[in-house]
Amino acid sequence: MTSVSVGPAVMKTPHLGEISWDAESELFLPSGLPGFENERHMIPVEIPAHRPLVFLQSTERSGVCFVSLPVMTICPDFKLQLTEDERESLMLRETGNPEIGADVLCLVLLFPSGGTVEANLDAPVVINLHNSRCLQALSPGAARGYYRLSEAGTWENVC
Amino acid sequence: MLVVRRRAGEAIIIAGDVEVEIIEITRTRVKLGITAPREVTVTRREAVAVALENHTAAALVASGTLETDLLGLFAKVSGKIAKSAPKAADM
């Protein structure tokens, strides 16, 4: 049998320029993200100068890109809550909540708000580190609320 | 609001071609199975507001707002985060 080596995928994006990635770095979102249900494949991109920002770039539409932050840079005592359906979709094996950093990565999307940005900590993007499956968790019981980046460079809980 | 009582295994039909079946009832939850044409979007209520936020979030990069207004602010934040930052793996 002949083995075929597949090189990295390449895409020209309007925001991050030309990016290339290996298949194993690609995230699989079985249901996309709310409002972007057809974006099933994304890659997380870190730019050293902009750390700790993480860009979530769609590999299907070059124009779709989100800016995110690791949730614990905003709220260090954040506790992840997942529903049974979310655990199933991420294919998490263990019962109980997964450990951030060991089992899952947890990012929050930033959206513009009056000259600064806000983040909804009740809708974290969760990535299973063991299989790269990803979803936006929407646990109805969670109540961390919204955090806004102040002019002083600190995060303030706004509701 | 129309209120209909149903048991597990029973269903209701909406607009002729959307079927909502009660698959399982537990003490605190109901599991629903929804069969609908592909063009019908089925969304959990809590996802509707998040969908709007996500569209706004996608505009943060697309509009160029990030480069023009916010990267300086993030640089300021990074300085603060660096002192107490979790490891990259703690994302």
Side-chain angles (χ1 to χ4, degrees):
Chain A
M1 198 165 83
T2 312
S3 70
V4 180
S5 91
V6 180
V10 179
M11 180 188 255
K12 202 166 213 168
T13 72
H15 317 299
L16 303 173
E18 188 173 288
I19 54 171
S20 64
W21 68 95
D22 295 319
E24 59 264 29
S25 354
E26 196 161 304
L27 307 176
F28 174 55
L29 298 87
S31 312
L33 296 173
F36 293 85
E37 285 77 8
N38 295 323
E39 307 300 329
R40 303 286 172 90
H41 297 273
M42 291 196 159
I43 48 163
V45 179
E46 275 193 296
I47 299 173
H50 297 161
R51 276 187 185 138
L53 293 179
V54 178
F55 295 85
L56 284 176
Q57 170 67 53
S58 166
T59 61
E60 285 156 352
R61 284 196 295 165
S62 64
V64 176
C65 180
F66 299 93
V67 190
S68 70
L69 272 176
V71 68
M72 288 169 105
T73 63
I74 298 177
C75 182
D77 63 345
F78 179 85
K79 297 277 183 290
L80 179 63
Q81 291 180 34
L82 294 173
T83 64
E84 205 175 306
D85 289 344
E86 288 164 348
R87 297 179 53 81
E88 211 168 277
S89 177
L90 287 168
M91 293 184 168
L92 285 164
R93 291 189 204 103
E94 306 294 322
T95 53
N97 273 334
E99 192 184 330
I100 296 175
D103 302 312
V104 294
L105 299 184
C106 217
L107 304 168
V108 278
L109 303 185
L110 304 181
F111 54 91
S113 169
T116 180
V117 287
E118 281 189 30
N120 179 357
L121 269 66
D122 292 333
V125 173
V126 184
I127 301 163
N128 184 341
L129 283 171
H130 306 297
N131 59 18
S132 298
R133 289 173 78 91
C134 175
L135 56 71
Q136 193 163 14
L138 303 170
S139 305
R144 286 282 179 185
Y146 290 80
Y147 279 68
R148 181 182 293 145
L149 182 59
S150 74
E151 287 295 319
T154 55
W155 289 94
E156 292 167 356
N157 191 201
V158 287
C159 65
Chain B
M1 180 194 286
L2 173 67
V3 178
V4 183
R5 288 190 172 83
R6 302 270 69 191
R7 293 190 171 92
E10 296 179 343
I12 59 168
I13 304 288
I14 300 168
D17 55 2
V18 176
E19 182 179 297
V20 181
E21 183 184 348
I22 313 302
I23 292 177
E24 184 187 333
I25 303 171
T26 66
R27 196 171 57 82
T28 55
R29 295 194 150 194
V30 176
K31 191 185 268 188
L32 304 175
I34 300 158
T35 310
R38 286 192 74 83
E39 64 273 16
V40 174
T41 305
V42 179
T43 311
R44 289 187 285 165
R45 185 166 61 185
E46 58 269 28
V48 174
V50 173
L52 289 173
E53 285 170 10
N54 286 351
H55 277 282
T56 316
L60 180 63
V61 178
S63 65
T65 311
L66 183 70
E67 282 82 359
T68 54
D69 299 333
L70 296 172
L71 284 180
L73 192 52
F74 281 122
K76 204 187 284 185
V77 180
S78 300
K80 288 183 192 302
I81 288 169
K83 294 181 190 122
S84 60
K87 297 187 295 289
D90 292 344
M91 293 196 285

